[in-house]
C-alpha cells in the first residue's frame, strides 16, 4: 500500500469519548434549535393566505438552482458585490459539502457499510479544494467588510426616507449590528479554521503522512510554518489545536443553530423566494379572489405565504432603494423599507405561539412596522425594484394590494378621487365626452375606418392621452398618416374604446379596472381584426398581460415593432436619413415590463440617427414619474420630479439633439421637464413617430379622399 | 332617529346636442346622467352625523324620478345610505320643483324623519327651490345654503352657518325638525369604490307610486307645476374677439392690451 | 295688470344693491312709457326691516311709484318673517308680479311662499317680458347651456327671482309715495346670530383692485400657482381665483372672485386664465368692461362674456407673456 493511500485525517483524534459524546450532544442540540427555528418560520408563512403556484415544482427548482449557482441576479449592476458574493457562496458551499462528505463517511457509510473513501488522493485534493474555498470565503468577506465599513455606499445606509430623525425606527442600528456580527462570525470561523489546520500540522509534525503532505493544505501549511517560526512546539500545537477545535466547533454550531433566527436564513429564504417567483409579478397583477371579503391587504395575515416569504428573503442589499425613482427625488418611499417594515411587523406578530387579535394586525399607519399612506401613494409602479431584486422580492404587487385597501377606504388625494370618478363616468381621464374620442381624425385628409362597423386587418387601440391631449393628438395624426401611406388596413374603435385601465389597476381601484377591461373586451369581441397595435405602452401592457384573465386574449404589438416591420418589408422607406444625435428613453411599460428594448433602437438606426444610450437605459431606465396613477396626483410643491432628474441625465450627453420617447405620458412629462430644468433650446423631446415622419416623405400620389 | 335626504339625478349635455322637435327640451340621447354634485355633500353630512352618533341613525335617500335614477340611488347606498326610496308615476312627467316638492313632502310625512336635507340647487336646472318648497308643504322650519352644521340627532334645535354673498357667513339657530339645503364644501364627500357600488347594486330600491302616497295626478306633473316651459333654445354665443397666432403672438397682443390699459390708468 | 311688487333686500344696516336692479327689472315688465303708472300698473318697493326708515332715501328713484316701509321685529333676515310679511303684502295688494333677487336670502323663502300661496314661480331669471300680454320669464337650463322661456298659465300672481348684475339700477331720482304697511307678528322658528367675516393673513381687497388676473381649475396642480403669482406681479395685476382653487386651499378665500367670493367692483381689466366661466364666477366679474379669457377649451362659457379671447395652452401663454414684462 502506498503511503498516500492511507493519508487521511483522524476525526476526534486524541479526544476522550466523553468529549466526543459532548460534541455530538451539542451538535444535535444545535440541529434541534435549528429545526425549531425553521418550524417557527414555516408556521409564520402558513399564517398568510393560500396561494397556488403555476408551473411544475421541478422546473421551478431547476430554475432556482441555475440562478443560485450562476449568481446572475446578484451580479447584475454591481459586479463587485456579485464577484465577492460568488466567492463567499462557492467558498461556503464547498466547505459545507466538505463537512457533509466527512459526515457521510464518518457517521453513515463507514459504521454501517465499512466504506472509506476520504483518504489518499481524494483526501489530498479535497484538502486543497477546501483551502482554496476557505480563502475565497475570506476574501469575499473582507471585501464585504470594506464595502460596508470604508466605502459607505448610500444604498447600504439604512436611514429611512419615510421617517424623521427622532422616530424609533429611523436609523435602525440593529440592522448594522447584525450585518457586522454575521461578517465577523464567518470571518472568525474561517480564520480559526485555518489556524486549527495549522495547529494540527504543528502538533503532528512528527507524522510523515501528515507533515509531508502538508502543502496540499497550502494555507494551513504556511501558517504552520509561521507558528513554528515563532516557537510553537508540537505540544503547544496540540493544546492550540484542542482549544481552537472547541472554539471553532462551538462557534460553528451556534452559527448553525441561529440560522433561522438571523440574517443567515437568507440562505434558504432567498433560494425559496427565487423558486416561487412570478416572472410577470408586476406586469400581470392578480384579481381579488371571490372569497375575499375586503379588497386588498389590511392585516399582515392578508398577505400570501409567498409574500411573507418574500419579506424574509430580503438581504437589505439596497438595489431597489437605489433604483427607485420616487426615492431618488426624495419621496417618502423606499421599496426596501416597505419590505423591511412589513418584515419587522410579521416577525413581531406572527412568530409567537398564538396569533394576536385581528385589531393588532393592521399594517397601515405610522407606527413601527407599518407602512404609511404617503409611502404607498409615492410609488410609480415602474417595477425597477422588482426587476433588480436578486432574490425575487415582488414589491409592486405588495404595494398595489395595500393600495386596494386605501382606495376602498377613500384614503386618496382629492385629485385622484376626482380622476377615478371621471374615468368611471366618461371612460377617460380627461372628462371629455366619449363622442370626442375620435375627433382627432377629423382634420385628416382620409377617413380612419371604424373597426366597430367594418372588419380591419389591424385594430389600433389609441389610448386616452393619444386621443385627447392636444400635444399627443399631433403624434396620433402622424401615425395614422404613416399607416395610411404604408397601405396598412387599420381602424380604431372610436367611442367603443375606454381607458385600458392599466394605471387604474395600479392605483388599486380593481372594481373600476374590471369595468374598463370588460367594456374594452366587449368592444374588441364585437370587432373583426387580425391583430392589435397600440401607441400607448400602458395599454400594451395590460391588454397583453392582463386582459386574458378577463377573457380577452389578442395578439398585440407596440407601434415600435410595427414600424420596424413596415421598414423591413419595404412598406415604409427612409427617403431623408436623419443624421441626428439622439438618446432613447425606454418607457417602463414597454421596456422593463415587456423587454421591448430593441425595436425602437432598430428604427432609430434605420432612420440614420446616432444613438447614445444614457447610463440608466433598458432595464435600468429611469421612470418619468407618471406611472401608478401619479400623473393624477399632484407632486409636493418644491420637490424635484423624476422627469427633471432624467432630463439632467440626458443634458449631460454632449451634443445631444433629440431625446426620443415612445409613450404619450413620457412626451408630456419630458417636454414639461425640459422647460423646468432650463434645457429648452439645448435639445428637443420628440416622439419616435415624429422622427419617422421627418425621415419618410409622403408618396407622390395624393391620398385617396374619403 | 332618521335623516331623509332628497337627491336628484341630474342631466348634463353631451357634445353636439340637439333640441327636441317640440322645442321644449333637449333630445334624450344627448343627456348624460349623474348624481347631483350638491347631493354628495348633503348625503355625506348625514352619514357623518350618523357615524358620530352614539344611538342608531337611519339615513334614507329619496328621489322623484323614473327608473334610470336607480343608478344614482345605488351610488348613495354605496356611500353610506341605509335605504333608498324612489317615487314615480308617468303622471309626474314634466313636474317643476313645486310639484316635485309636493311629492317629497308626502313621502316625508310617511317616513317621519327628524331632519330633511336637500342640496341648495341642482347643477342642471339650478332652481334652488325644491328643498324649501318641500318645507312649506310640511310646515317645517327651513333654511338655505348651509355651509356648516352642528346637530345632534333628535335634538330640538340646531346651529348652522349660512354662506352669504361676498364670503360672509352668518350663524343661525333653527328649531328642529327642519329642512336644510346644503351648500358645496360643507365637508369632503367620501369616495365610493366601484366595488362598493357593485355590492350596493344588490340592495333593493323601494319604489312607490302616486297611489301609495295618496296623491292625485292633478297635484303633480304639468298640472301641479307653478310654471310651464314654452320654449328651449340654444343662445347665441357672446362675441369675444379671438386673438390668433402662435403663443408668442398671442402674448404680444395681450401685453399690448395690458399696456393700453395701464396707459389709461396712469 | 295689477302692478309689480319689488321686495328690497338689506343686511347689516345696508340696502343690498341688487334691490335697485330689481326696480329696473320691474320697469321693463311694465312695458312702454305710456303704460307706466296707469291704473293699477304701479311699481311698489317694500322694505322689510326692523328700521325700514334707514333705507327709504336710497329707494327714491325714477320708476318707483310707492315705497312700503314694513316694520318687523327681527333684526336681520329670517325666512318666517319674510314669508309672513311678503305673504301679507301679496294678500293686501294682489300684485301681478312679485320680484325678489335670486339671492341667498330668497333661497331661504321664495319657493316656500310660492308653494304656500299658489304663486307662479321662476328663479334665476335674467329676462322678463310680456309677449302678447303673457308674462314670460327666461332662465338658463342644463348648466346654463340653453335658454328656457317659461310662462305661468292660470296664475294671477307670479313670483320671479331675478339674477343679480343683469339689470342696471335706475340712474334718475324719483319721488315715490311713502307709506307704512303693518305686517302681522311672526313667531320665527329660526334666528340669525352673529355675522362672521372670514379673515386671512392675506390683506388683499379684490373689490378695490382695478386690474385682476384670475386663475381657475385649468392650472391643474398647486405647484403651478407660483407661476401665475409671478406673472400677476410682473404685469401689475392682483391675483384672483375661482372657487375650486380657494376650496382646495391653494389660495386664501379672500382672493376668490364670484358669487360666494368677492365682486370685482372696481376692476377695469380682468384676465381669466384656465377659468371655465361657471355662472357663480361670472356673477363676480362679468360686469368688468374689458375681460380677456385664456383657455384651452374653445367652448368654455367664459368666452361668452369676454371682450378678447385666446384659445391656447395657458402655461405657454403665461410664459410668453412673462417674457414681455
Amino acid at each position: 500500500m502506498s503511503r498516500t493511500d492511507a493519508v487521511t485525517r483522524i476525526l476526534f483524534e486524541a479526544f476522550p469519548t466523553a468529549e466526543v459524546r459532548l460534541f455530538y450532544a451539542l451538535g444535535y442540540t444545535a440541529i434541534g434549535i435549528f429545526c425549531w427555528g425553521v418550524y417557527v418560520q414555516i408556521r409564520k408563512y402558513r399564517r398568510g393566505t393560500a396561494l397556488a403556484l403555476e408551473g411544475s415544482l421541478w422546473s421551478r427548482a431547476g430554475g432556482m438552482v441555475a440562478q443560485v449557482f450562476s449568481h446572475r441576479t446578484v451580479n447584475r449592476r454591481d459586479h463587485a458585490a456579485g464577484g465577492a458574493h460568488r466567492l463567499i457562496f462557492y467558498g461556503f458551499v464547498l466547505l459545507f459539502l466538505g463537512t457533509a462528505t466527512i459526515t457521510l463517511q464518518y457517521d453513515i457509510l463507514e459504521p454501517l457499510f465499512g466504506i472509506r473513501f476520504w483518504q489518499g488522493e481524494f483526501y489530498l485534493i479535497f484538502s486543497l479544494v477546501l483551502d482554496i474555498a476557505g480563502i475565497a470565503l475570506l476574501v469575499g468577506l473582507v471585501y464585504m467588510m470594506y464595502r460596508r465599513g470604508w466605502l459607505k455606499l448610500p444604498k447600504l445606509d439604512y436611514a429611512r426616507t419615510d421617517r424623521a430623525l427622532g422616530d424609533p425606527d429611523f436609523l435602525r442600528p440593529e440592522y448594522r449590528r447584525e450585518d457586522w456580527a454575521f461578517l465577523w462570525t464567518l470571518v472568525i470561523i474561517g480564520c480559526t479554521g485555518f489556524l486549527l489546520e495549522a495547529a494540527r500540522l504543528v502538533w503532528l509534525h512528527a507524522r510523515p503522512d501528515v507533515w509531508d503532505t502538508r502543502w496540499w493544505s497550502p494555507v494551513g501549511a504556511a501558517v504552520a510554518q509561521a507558528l513554528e517560526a515563532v516557537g510553537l512546539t508540537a505540544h503547544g500545537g496540540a493544546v492550540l489545536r484542542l482549544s481552537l477545535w472547541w472554539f471553532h466547533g462551538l462557534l460553528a454550531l451556534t452559527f448553525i443553530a441561529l440560522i433561522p433566527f438571523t440574517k443567515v436564513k437568507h440562505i434558504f429564504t432567498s433560494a425559496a423566494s427565487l423558486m416561487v417567483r412570478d416572472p410577470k409579478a408586476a406586469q400581470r397583477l392578480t384579481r381579488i379572489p371571490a372569497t375575499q371579503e375586503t379588497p386588498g391587504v389590511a392585516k399582515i395575515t392578508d398577505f400570501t405565504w409567498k409574500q411573507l416569504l418574500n419579506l424574509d428573503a430580503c438581504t437589505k442589499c439596497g438595489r431597489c432603494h437605489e433604483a427607485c425613482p420616487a426615492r431618488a427625488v426624495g419621496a417618502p418611499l423606499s421599496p426596501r423599507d416597505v419590505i423591511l417594515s412589513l418584515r419587522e411587523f410579521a416577525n413581531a406578530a406572527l412568530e409567537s405561539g398564538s396569533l394576536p387579535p385581528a385589531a393588532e394586525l393592521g399594517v397601515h399607519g405610522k407606527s413601527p412596522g407599518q407602512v404609511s399612506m404617503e409611502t404607498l401613494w409615492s410609488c410609480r409602479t415602474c417595477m425597477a425594484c422588482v426587476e433588480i431584486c436578486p432574490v425575487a422580492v415582488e414589491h409592486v404587487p405588495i404595494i398595489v394590494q395595500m393600495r386596494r385597501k386605501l382606495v376602498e377606504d377613500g384614503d386618496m388625494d382629492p385629485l385622484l378621487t376626482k380622476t377615478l370618478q371621471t374615468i368611471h363616468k366618461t371612460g377617460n381621464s380627461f372628462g371629455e365626452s366619449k363622442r370626442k374620442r375620435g375627433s382627432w381624425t377629423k382634420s385628416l385628409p382620409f377617413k380612419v375606418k371604424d373597426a366597430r362597423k367594418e372588419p380591419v386587418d389591424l385594430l389600433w387601440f389609441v389610448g386616452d392621452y393619444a386621443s385627447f391631449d392636444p400635444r399627443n393628438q399631433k403624434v396620433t395624426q402622424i401615425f395614422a398618416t404613416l399607416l395610411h401611406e404604408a397601405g396598412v388596413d387599420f381602424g380604431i374603435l372610436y367611442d367603443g374604446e375606454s381607458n385600458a385601465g392599466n394605471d387604474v389597476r395600479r392605483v388599486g381601484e380593481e372594481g373600476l379596472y374590471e369595468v374598463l377591461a370588460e367594456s374594452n373586451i366587449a368592444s374588441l369581441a364585437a370587432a373583426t381584426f387580425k391583430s392589435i397595435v397600440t401607441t400607448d405602452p400602458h395599454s400594451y401592457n395590460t391588454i397583453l398581460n392582463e386582459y386574458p384573465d378577463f377573457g380577452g386574449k389578442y395578439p398585440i404589438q407596440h407601434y415600435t415593432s410595427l414600424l420596424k416591420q413596415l421598414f423591413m418589408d419595404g412598406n415604409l422607406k427612409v427617403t431623408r436619413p436623419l443624421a441626428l444625435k439622439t438618446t432613447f428613453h425606454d418607457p417602463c411599460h414597454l421596456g422593463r415590463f415587456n423587454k421591448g428594448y430593441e425595436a425602437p433602437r432598430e428604427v432609430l438606426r434605420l432612420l440614420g440617427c446616432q444613438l447614445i444610450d444614457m447610463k440608466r437605459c433598458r432595464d435600468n431606465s429611469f421612470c418619468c414619474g407618471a406611472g401608478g396613477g401619479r400623473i393624477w396626483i399632484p407632486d409636493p410643491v418644491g420637490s424635484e420630479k423624476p422627469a427633471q432628474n432624467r432630463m439632467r441625465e440626458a443634458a449631460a450627453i454632449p451634443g445631444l439633439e433629440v431625446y426620443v420617447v415612445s409613450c404619450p405620458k413620457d412626451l408630456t412629462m419630458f417636454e414639461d421637464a425640459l422647460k423646468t430644468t432650463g434645457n429648452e433650446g439645448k435639445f428637443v423631446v420628440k416622439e419616435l413617430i415624429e422622427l419617422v415622419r421627418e425621415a419618410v416623405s409622403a408618396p407622390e400620389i395624393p391620398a385617396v379622399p374619403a | 332617529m332618521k335623516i331623509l335626504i332628497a337627491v336628484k339625478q341630474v342631466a348634463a349635455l353631451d357634445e353636439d346636442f340637439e333640441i327636441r322637435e317640440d322645442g321644449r327640451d333637449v333630445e334624450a340621447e344627448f343627456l348624460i346622467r349623474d348624481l347631483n354634485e350638491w347631493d354628495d355633500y348633503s348625503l355625506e353630512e348625514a352619514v357623518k352625523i350618523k357615524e358620530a352618533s352614539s344611538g342608531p341613525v337611519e339615513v334614507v335617500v329619496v328621489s322623484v324620478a323614473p327608473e334610470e335614477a336607480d343608478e344614482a340611488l345605488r351610488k348613495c347606498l354605496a356611500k353610506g345610505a341605509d335605504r333608498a326610496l324612489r317615487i314615480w308615476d308617468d303622471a309626474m312627467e314634466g313636474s317643476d320643483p313645486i310639484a316635485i316638492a309636493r311629492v317629497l313632502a308626502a313621502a316625508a310625512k310617511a317616513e317621519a324623519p327628524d331632519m330633511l336635507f336637500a342640496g341648495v340647487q341642482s347643477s342642471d336646472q339650478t332652481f334652488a327651490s325644491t328643498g324649501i318648497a318641500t318645507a312649506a308643504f310640511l310646515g317645517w322650519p327651513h333654511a338655505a345654503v348651509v355651509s356648516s352644521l352642528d346637530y345632534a340627532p333628535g335634538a330640538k334645535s340646531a346651529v348652522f352657518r349660512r354662506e352669504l354673498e361676498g364670503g360672509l357667513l352668518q350663524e343661525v339657530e333653527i328649531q328642529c325638525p327642519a329642512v336644510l339645503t346644503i351648500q358645496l364644501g360643507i365637508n369632503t364627500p367620501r369616495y365610493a369604490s366601484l366595488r362598493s357600488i357593485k355590492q350596493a347594486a344588490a340592495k333593493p330600491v323601494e319604489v312607490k307610486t302616486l297611489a301609495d302616497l295618496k296623491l292625485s295626478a292633478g297635484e303633480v306633473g304639468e298640472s301641479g307645476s307653478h310654471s310651464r316651459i314654452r320654449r328651449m333654445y340654444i343662445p347665441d354665443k357672446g362675441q369675444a374677439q379671438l386673438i390668433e397666432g402662435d403663443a408668442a403672438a398671442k402674448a404680444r397682443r395681450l401685453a399690448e392690451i395690458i399696456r393700453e390699459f395701464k396707459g389709461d390708468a396712469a | 295688470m295689477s302692478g309689480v311688487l319689488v321686495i328690497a333686500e338689506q343686511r347689516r344696516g345696508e340696502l343690498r344693491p341688487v334691490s335697485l336692479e330689481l326696480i329696473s327689472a320691474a320697469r321693463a315688465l311694465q312695458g312702454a312709457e305710456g303704460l307706466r303708472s296707469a291704473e293699477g300698473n304701479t311699481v311698489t318697493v317694500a322694505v322689510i326691516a326692523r328700521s325700514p326708515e334707514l333705507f327709504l332715501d336710497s329707494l327714491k328713484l325714477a320708476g318707483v311709484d310707492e315705497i312700503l316701509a314694513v316694520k318687523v321685529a327681527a333684526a336681520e333676515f329670517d325666512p318666517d318673517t319674510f314669508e309672513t310679511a311678503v305673504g301679507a303684502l301679496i294678500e293686501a295688494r294682489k300684485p301681478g308680479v312679485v320680484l325678489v333677487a335670486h339671492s341667498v336670502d330668497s333661497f331661504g323663502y321664495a319657493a316656500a311662499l310660492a308653494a304656500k300661496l299658489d304663486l307662479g314661480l321662476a328663479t334665476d331669471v335674467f329676462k322678463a317680458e310680456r309677449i302678447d300680454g303673457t308674462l314670460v320669464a327666461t332662465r338658463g337650463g342644463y348648466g346654463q347651456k340653453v335658454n328656457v322661456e317659461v310662462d305661468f298659465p292660470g296664475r294671477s300672481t307670479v313670483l320671479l327671482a331675478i339674477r343679480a348684475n343683469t339689470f342696471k339700477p335706475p340712474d334718475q331720482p324719483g319721488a315715490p309715495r311713502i307709506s307704512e304697511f303693518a305686517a302681522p307678528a311672526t313667531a320665527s322658528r329660526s334666528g340669525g346670530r352673529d355675522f362672521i367675516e372670514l379673515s386671512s393673513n392675506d390683506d388683499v381687497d379684490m373689490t378695490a383692485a382695478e386690474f385682476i388676473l384670475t386663475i381657475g381649475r385649468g392650472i391643474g396642480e398647486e405647484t403651478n400657482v407660483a407661476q401665475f403669482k409671478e406673472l400677476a406681479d410682473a404685469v401689475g395685476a392682483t391675483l384672483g381665483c375661482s372657487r375650486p382653487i380657494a376650496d382646495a386651499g391653494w389660495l386664501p378665500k379672500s382672493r376668490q372672485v364670484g358669487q360666494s367670493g368677492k365682486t370685482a367692483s372696481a376692476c377695469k381689466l380682468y384676465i381669466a386664465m384656465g377659468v371655465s366661466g361657471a355662472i357663480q364666477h361670472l356673477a363676480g366679474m362679468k360686469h368688468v368692461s374689458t375681460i380677456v379669457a385664456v383657455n384651452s377649451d374653445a367652448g368654455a362659457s367664459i368666452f361668452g362674456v369676454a371682450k378678447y379671447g385666446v384659445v391656447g395652452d395657458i402655461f405657454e401663454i403665461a410664459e410668453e407673456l412673462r417674457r414681455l414684462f
Side-chain angles (χ1 to χ4, degrees), chain A residues 288 292-295 407-408 410 412 417 420-421 424-425 432-436 509 511-512 514-515, chain B residues 12 14-16 29-30 32-34 40 71 75 79 189-199:
Chain A
I288 300 175
Q292 195 172 335
E293 289 225 346
T294 47
V407 167
E408 190 68 15
M412 305 177 261
T417 308
L420 291 174
Q421 288 165 337
H424 182 211
K425 210 164 120 168
E432 300 276 13
S433 156
K434 281 188 212 260
R435 284 166 205 263
K436 279 176 87 170
E509 231 301 5
L512 180 56
E514 284 178 16
V515 168
Chain B
D14 202 353
E15 286 298 305
D16 309 319
E29 63 174 293
F30 295 99
I32 301 173
R33 302 200 184 269
D34 197 9
D40 274 333
E71 203 190 311
K75 217 183 202 172
K79 289 188 186 212
R190 65 195 60 198
Y191 177 71
S193 74
L194 254 296
R195 200 166 169 281
S196 58
I197 293 176
K198 279 184 199 170
Q199 285 176 334

Side-chain angles (χ1 to χ4, degrees), chain A residues 439-511:
Chain A
S439 53
W440 62 266
T441 61
K442 292 196 185 125
S443 62
L444 293 172
F446 55 91
K447 178 135 176 24
V448 175
K449 279 190 183 181
D450 189 335
R452 297 171 296 176
K453 302 198 178 123
E454 48 182 313
V456 294
D457 274 352
L458 188 67
L459 188 139
W460 175 13
F461 192 95
V462 188
D464 270 13
Y465 265 76
S467 304
F468 293 109
D469 176 63
R471 175 64 182 97
N472 278 294
Q473 279 176 333
K474 297 198 184 91
V475 175
T476 309
Q477 287 165 337
I478 295 174
F479 188 65
T481 315
L482 287 171
L483 288 179
H484 181 80
E485 287 170 15
V488 176
D489 176 29
F490 72 100
I492 66 175
L493 288 170
Y494 286 92
D495 307 357
E497 184 188 292
S498 298
N499 186 308
N502 185 77
D503 288 19
V504 168
R505 190 170 216 193
R506 279 149 183 76
V507 157
E509 231 301 5
E510 187 69 7

Side-chain angles (χ1 to χ4, degrees), chain A residues 147-196:
Chain A
R147 248 170 98 80
R148 283 178 190 275
W150 274 262
L151 290 183
K152 294 212 199 304
L153 298 171
K155 68 182 174 199
L156 295 177
D157 178 355
Y158 297 139
R160 287 178 68 144
T161 51
D162 59 341
R163 300 279 194 267
L165 199 62
D167 285 334
D169 50 353
F170 173 59
L171 283 174
R172 299 179 296 188
E174 64 274 15
Y175 282 157
R176 246 182 291 276
R177 283 195 287 266
E178 190 188 30
D179 291 341
W180 282 104
F182 185 17
L183 285 170
W184 277 113
T185 306
L186 279 179
V187 163
I188 292 171
I189 291 178
C191 291
T192 52
F194 281 126
L195 262 171
L196 180 55

Side-chain angles (χ1 to χ4, degrees), chain A residues 56-362:
Chain A
S56 88
L57 214 54
W58 282 116
S59 63
R60 283 182 171 279
M64 178 272 279
V65 168
Q67 278 186 311
V68 169
F69 276 87
S70 69
H71 256 49
R72 190 190 75 87
T73 61
V74 186
N75 200 45
R76 285 182 67 202
R77 247 178 262 162
D78 192 344
H79 297 308
H85 198 272
R86 274 203 180 103
L87 291 175
I88 296 173
F89 174 73
Y90 286 121
F92 192 91
V93 163
L94 284 171
L95 287 166
F96 174 78
L97 284 177
T99 312
T101 309
I102 298 170
T103 311
L104 181 66
Q105 174 184 286
Y106 191 80
D107 292 311
I108 302 169
L109 293 182
E110 194 180 355
L112 291 179
F113 308 111
I115 297 174
R116 291 167 58 126
F117 59 86
W118 189 52
Q119 57 191 17
E121 251 177 44
F122 176 77
Y123 168 79
L124 294 174
I125 294 171
F126 179 97
S127 306
L128 178 60
V129 166
L130 289 198
D131 254 31
I132 295 172
I135 288 294
L137 177 68
L138 284 176
V139 167
L141 290 169
V142 168
Y143 174 76
M144 294 308 198
M145 285 181 156
Y146 165 69
R147 248 170 98 80
R148 283 178 190 275
W150 274 262
L151 290 183
K152 294 212 199 304
L153 298 171
K155 68 182 174 199
L156 295 177
D157 178 355
Y158 297 139
R160 287 178 68 144
T161 51
D162 59 341
R163 300 279 194 267
L165 199 62
D167 285 334
D169 50 353
F170 173 59
L171 283 174
R172 299 179 296 188
E174 64 274 15
Y175 282 157
R176 246 182 291 276
R177 283 195 287 266
E178 190 188 30
D179 291 341
W180 282 104
F182 185 17
L183 285 170
W184 277 113
T185 306
L186 279 179
V187 163
I188 292 171
I189 291 178
C191 291
T192 52
F194 281 126
L195 262 171
L196 180 55
E197 202 174 47
R200 175 181 168 267
L201 286 173
V202 170
W203 170 43
L204 297 177
H205 188 137
R207 263 198 231 154
D209 63 343
V210 170
W211 191 251
D212 294 346
T213 58
R214 70 186 182 287
W215 289 108
W216 286 94
S217 314
V219 180
V223 174
Q225 304 274 155
L227 287 174
E228 286 188 342
V230 297
L232 189 64
T233 61
H235 177 71
V239 170
L240 187 61
R241 174 243 176 193
L242 190 62
S243 40
L244 273 178
W245 195 103
W246 273 106
F247 179 75
H248 176 98
L250 287 174
L251 191 57
L253 286 180
T254 312
F255 178 83
I256 289 169
L258 291 183
I259 286 178
F261 303 94
T262 60
K263 181 176 175 171
V264 193
K265 74 171 108 150
H266 83 269
I267 293 173
F268 301 105
T269 54
S270 302
S273 180
L274 283 167
M275 195 159 121
V276 300
R277 74 188 287 249
D278 175 2
K280 290 259 173 202
Q283 302 91 318
R284 183 191 56 192
L285 297 174
T286 51
R287 301 181 71 154
I288 300 175
T291 49
Q292 195 172 335
E293 289 225 346
T294 47
V297 165
K299 311 195 292 291
I300 190 73
T301 44
D302 292 335
F303 284 118
T304 63
W305 60 262
K306 173 181 149 177
Q307 286 168 325
L308 293 175
L309 174 63
N310 275 173
L311 301 180
D312 273 345
C314 172
T315 57
K316 315 199 291 292
C317 75
R319 281 164 217 224
C320 58
H321 181 86
E322 201 176 42
C324 179
R327 201 266 329 151
V329 297
L333 166 66
S334 159
R336 175 197 69 195
D337 294 331
V338 171
I339 300 299
L340 291 176
S341 275
L342 292 172
R343 172 158 93 193
E344 287 163 27
F345 193 97
N347 290 347
L350 304 180
E351 287 186 341
S352 42
S354 56
L355 203 55
E360 289 170 29
L361 296 176

